[in-house]
Structure formats: C-alpha cells, structure tokens
Amino acid sequence: MACLVVVVVGLVGGLAEAEAAAVEGLGVNWGTMASHQMLPEMVVRMMRDNGIKRVKIFDADPWTLKSLEGSEMEVMVAIPNDMLGIMQSYENAKEWVDKNVTRYTHPGGVNIRYVAVGNEAFLKAYKGQFMNTTFPALQNIQKALNEAGHGHNIKVTTPLNADVYNSPDSKPVPSTGTFRSDILSLMTDIVRFLDGNSSPFVVNIYPFLSLNQNPNFPVDFAFFDGGATPLNDNGVTYNNVFDANYDTLVHALRKAGVPNMKIVVGEVGWPTDGVNFANISFAKRFYDGFLKKMASGKGNLDVYLFGLIDEDQKSVLPGDFERHWGIFRYDGQPKFPMDLSGKGNDQYLVPAKGVQYVGNLWCVFNKNVKNQKKLKQLGGQVSYACTLADCTALNYGGSCNGLDQQGNVSYAFNQYFQLQDQDVEACSFKGLGVVTKVNASSGGCLFPVQIVSGSARAAAHVSFWLLPWLLMVLL
C-alpha cells in the first residue's frame, strides 16, 4: 500500500488552509468500514477545510496515517481489540510502537497524541472476552512508548463505553455513580495507572442509545434545548442525559481515587437513518445543542464526534442505525447545516473535493415484467440484494420507509447495483431489474450513485505512471 501513496498524494495537491474554525476541543472519529472509501488525502483536506484539528482512527492503517503527515492534526491512533492478546508480549508492543508511532513522529510527520488500546473492550456483550488482556496491553504499550522516547508527548488510553459505570436502581443519580461491580477492581487499577501516567479516561456517551433502547425515556432529555423534566441530585440539576451520564463518571472516578483525572469524550453523536429517532431532524437538533454547549465553555470538554462519514459495511448487530452515524454522507457531502464553532451559524459544512462518481446510472424494478412466475421471485431477489448491500434506510423510521412496494424493490436493487460498481449484470435479478439514467430518488429517500473508491483510483493512477516505464522496459 505504501507504494500507492506516493503516487496519489499529488492528486489532491497542497492541503488547503481551514476555511472554518471548529470549537476548541472538538475532534471527529474517522471510521473506514465502507465498501467505497474516498482517498484518505481527500478526507484529511475535508476535515481541514472545516477547521477540524483532531481525529481519532480505529487502527494504524499506513495509508491513513501517511495522509495525515504534515497536516498538524492531533491524532488518536488505535490498536483493535483483536490485537490485545498479542500485546501481552512486550516485544510485540515494542514492535507495534516502532512501526506505527516512531515511524511517523518525525518533523513534518503525524502529530500522534494518544494511542487507544482497544475499543469498548469491557462491553457486557463481549462477556469478559478482553478482561484479562486489556490492562497488560496498556502497560506494555505505555512502557514501549516511554522506552522509545514518546511517553512525555504521547499518552496511552483505552476508550470505554459508558456501561462500565452506573448508579444503583435504588438511587439513579450521578452522585451515586461507581464502576460496575464485576469490573470494579480492574477499573480501579486501570484508572490509577492511567492517571499516574497523565493519561485521560476516554468514554463513549450516546444519548441516542438512551432514547432508542428505552421506550419510556423522555425524548427531550436526550437534547440540550430544554423542555425535559430536570433531574435533581442533592440540589444539582440536570436538564439532559449527557450531563447526567458524564457526572456519573466523575463520581465513579472520585470513588476510585482519581478525582482530578482528565476525561475525554471519545464518541458522541446522533445517527440519521435506519430506525425511529435516527433522522436528520433529530441529529441537527442534537448537534446544534451540543456544539453550543461546547462553545459556552461549560465543562471545558474534549470531544470526538461520531462519526465523520457513513460506513455501509458496519455490523448492524447493535442496530440498523450503525451505518448512518456520519455528519457527511458516503461521498463526503454534508447531510444538514451545522456550525462546528457552536455559534449557531446555520450553514452546510465544506464538502469533500475531487470525488468521482461511477456514473449517473440507477437500477430499478422492471415494470414491464408481467410474467407471474418471474414476479414470484421478487422476494428472494430483494432478500439477496439486501443481504449483501445496505438496505437499512427501508426500515420503519428510515428515510425510505415511505416507498411503495415497487419503490422498495427498486431501492434494494439499486443498492446492490451501486455496491457492484454499476456492473450491468448486477442489475439483472433474473430479468426483474433494469438500468436507467433517470434519478430514482424519491422525496427524502436518496437512491445513491456510487463513488469511485480510493483504492481503485490509486490503482488506476499507479498504472498510469508505471505505463511509460513499462514501455521503456519492453522496448
């Protein structure tokens, strides 16, 4: 992959100076679980054009890290959960730091500030799978960072879901917050270790999930614009679930013996599709209130929004909203007006520049098919398309939920067609599909046109630059 980077960097040209200013302490999560990714250089430029100066990535992909060289953006680079086991070996930890940190921390390189060891490793859903590997991995990576001379500037941490702490049902207020009983001893050891190394506690807080998972949750309490019945905790009033959740952690840390530990919100955001409550209107309401809160300076928050771009390959086991967390669409187009400065200036973010689309073609249901035997295969063909492609927008509460039966079929067919780079054969569906040049989008339901993936563009340009050399060799 490294040889490709040298060629494609020149496609974007010099990084533009930021055209906007984000509120102090704001960063974004840049996930890459998408079938068609933009060139990393385009994504970095898009972030800089919007004044974003901090980014959290979920692995140490060399192409991604290479694209961040010279950007001066503060980077949190991660070690995935499935690598925690091998980090029990200090030699492996040293090798990882040398390959993924030291390699990039030269003058004009990548401004790495944190190494995230694992991600939400103590989720109850993991049933203790990473309970014995996370802390040793943290210790080994920190030791390796220190030995390599990075320990003063680069801090180790482990992002955790807010389910690692709670308040008792008998008194569900922040002041009674403590770490979960099953991990209390382990969490106490971890936070004292992190605090001793001046490392932050990174927590992921999702008001959306509070609303989505509890049918009795008061809707207004998920937002920051008032209207909710306040929660009173010994004279301290909470008007939203984020603040209440955050202070529950504050009290848990105090009880663990680290009252002054720095807290970083590693993930917070609102999805825009896939289920009820996940829509543009609620997302805008959430971000407007949250960014104004940050701009007010209350709490002096360091926050990474989740997420930057939609990811159509994410697992939907947590919910069908998982593929729609981006403040940008799959193609780098902003979804709705938002002001990252928190000043309430309602305008669209700067979109990605230089994105190429496969073509203006759509795949839809062939209305000319009258053969009943063929039509009986519709269900199976739609099921096939949606097994491989993302059809979550068709769900109840989704942006395409209002389509009629033929519209549902067309949406499913088109999603698969675009996933397959508009291959004509991918629109066959046993004769039930047909390619059209007419945009099939309907109202608020977008029938997307796929972009040329970054890897495909890189390969094409490598071929272009290598061709003269190959001709010389052959001649």
Side-chain angles (χ1 to χ4, degrees):
M1 187 67 73
C3 63
L4 302 183
V5 174
V6 176
V7 176
V8 300
V9 165
L11 300 180
V12 181
L15 290 171
E17 292 299 318
E19 297 177 7
V23 65
E24 186 68 27
L26 185 71
V28 294
N29 284 270
W30 176 7
T32 56
M33 298 181 70
S35 60
H36 293 67
Q37 298 176 32
M38 291 183 286
L39 284 168
E41 291 77 18
M42 288 181 179
V43 179
V44 173
R45 178 175 179 176
M46 181 177 73
M47 288 189 287
R48 295 196 68 197
D49 283 350
N50 286 287
I52 298 169
K53 299 178 181 178
R54 300 181 182 186
V55 64
K56 178 167 161 271
I57 56 179
F58 291 90
D59 54 26
D61 173 62
W63 197 4
T64 302
L65 284 170
K66 190 74 177 174
S67 71
L68 289 161
E69 285 190 332
S71 69
E72 299 182 354
M73 295 184 68
E74 294 183 8
V75 179
M76 183 185 297
V77 62
I79 299 173
N81 289 340
D82 59 9
M83 292 183 64
L84 296 178
I86 67 172
M87 293 304 160
Q88 309 309 291
S89 161
Y90 179 58
E91 291 303 313
N92 288 340
K94 282 178 61 178
E95 182 180 350
W96 189 92
V97 168
D98 181 61
K99 180 180 178 181
N100 301 295
V101 177
T102 304
R103 178 180 180 183
Y104 296 102
T105 52
H106 52 79
V110 183
N111 182 18
I112 298 175
R113 296 298 301 276
Y114 299 109
V115 174
V117 180
N119 184 57
E120 298 189 334
F122 301 153
L123 274 175
K124 291 180 181 178
Y126 291 147
K127 299 180 179 178
Q129 181 179 353
F130 307 109
M131 206 76 77
N132 298 323
T133 55
T134 302
F135 191 22
L138 271 171
Q139 293 171 306
N140 283 338
I141 292 296
Q142 182 65 67
K143 183 179 177 182
L145 288 171
N146 293 344
E147 186 178 286
H150 306 307
H152 182 69
N153 297 316
I154 303 175
K155 301 300 179 181
V156 70
T157 187
T158 181
L160 294 168
N161 188 276
D163 79 341
V164 299
Y165 54 87
N166 53 36
S167 297
D169 292 338
S170 59
K171 196 175 182 181
V173 292
S175 62
T176 61
T178 187
F179 289 113
R180 262 179 19 218
S181 58
D182 62 313
I183 56 172
L184 178 57
S185 177
L186 176 59
M187 285 303 305
T188 300
D189 289 341
I190 287 176
V191 298
R192 290 181 179 178
F193 170 77
L194 293 175
D195 189 58
N197 286 283
S198 301
S199 297
F201 189 103
V202 178
V203 61
N204 301 338
I205 301 176
Y206 283 107
F208 168 78
L209 295 182
S210 298
L211 178 60
N212 177 255
Q213 296 172 356
N214 183 354
N216 299 315
F217 189 87
V219 174
D220 290 337
F221 203 58
F223 301 95
F224 302 87
D225 48 10
T229 301
L231 171 67
N232 187 287
D233 182 7
N234 297 323
V236 179
T237 300
Y238 295 93
N239 296 301
N240 62 82
V241 69
F242 176 89
D243 288 344
N245 191 304
Y246 186 94
D247 274 9
T248 304
L249 171 59
V250 170
H251 285 281
L253 290 171
R254 286 176 182 169
K255 291 167 187 171
V258 287
N260 299 313
M261 188 173 187
K262 178 181 175 64
I263 298 173
V264 171
V265 179
E267 297 178 17
V268 65
W270 200 280
T272 58
D273 215 334
V275 297
N276 200 22
F277 298 122
N279 55 56
I280 295 293
S281 177
F282 275 4
K284 178 171 170 48
R285 180 183 176 187
F286 178 82
Y287 282 116
D288 283 352
F290 186 76
L291 292 167
K292 287 177 183 176
K293 170 186 171 63
M294 284 192 69
S296 73
K298 295 178 181 177
N300 193 25
L301 294 172
D302 281 349
V303 172
Y304 295 84
L305 302 183
F306 191 88
L308 183 63
I309 306 167
D310 280 352
E311 301 171 77
D312 66 342
Q313 297 294 295
K314 284 196 72 178
S315 169
V316 294
L317 285 177
D320 286 338
F321 50 80
E322 279 294 328
R323 295 173 176 174
H324 306 281
W325 286 103
I327 56 177
F328 289 91
R329 295 185 337 194
Y330 71 100
D331 56 355
Q333 293 295 315
K335 294 181 178 179
F336 51 88
M338 66 186 302
D339 181 9
L340 295 180
S341 74
K343 296 177 181 177
N345 298 320
D346 226 16
Q347 57 190 11
Y348 281 90
L349 299 177
V350 181
K353 296 179 173 70
V355 176
Q356 293 181 0
Y357 295 85
V358 177
N360 287 323
L361 296 176
W362 291 262
C363 177
V364 297
F365 171 65
N366 187 352
K367 296 180 181 179
N368 293 323
V369 175
K370 305 298 181 183
N371 186 302
Q372 291 301 310
K373 188 176 180 180
K374 273 192 175 184
L375 291 174
K376 287 181 179 180
Q377 300 180 65
L378 263 179
Q381 294 303 303
V382 168
S383 178
Y384 173 78
C386 291
T387 298
L388 298 172
D390 177 30
C391 297
T392 52
L394 292 174
N395 294 342
Y396 173 74
S399 62
C400 298
N401 182 237
L403 298 176
D404 59 19
Q405 184 179 16
Q406 288 189 3
N408 289 338
V409 173
S410 293
Y411 185 86
F413 284 3
N414 187 64
Q415 288 296 92
Y416 181 78
F417 178 63
Q418 302 299 336
L419 180 70
Q420 301 298 328
D421 294 314
Q422 300 182 0
D423 185 334
V424 174
E425 293 184 2
C427 188
S428 173
F429 295 105
K430 298 186 181 298
L432 294 167
V434 62
V435 175
T436 178
K437 293 183 179 180
V438 179
N439 191 333
S441 299
S442 175
C445 176
L446 172 70
F447 278 57
V449 169
Q450 193 53 266
I451 65 171
V452 180
S453 68
S455 57
R457 292 184 64 175
H461 282 276
V462 167
S463 300
F464 173 79
W465 286 103
L466 287 180
L467 183 59
W469 180 83
L470 289 173
L471 289 174
M472 289 175 61
V473 172
L474 292 172
L475 294 174

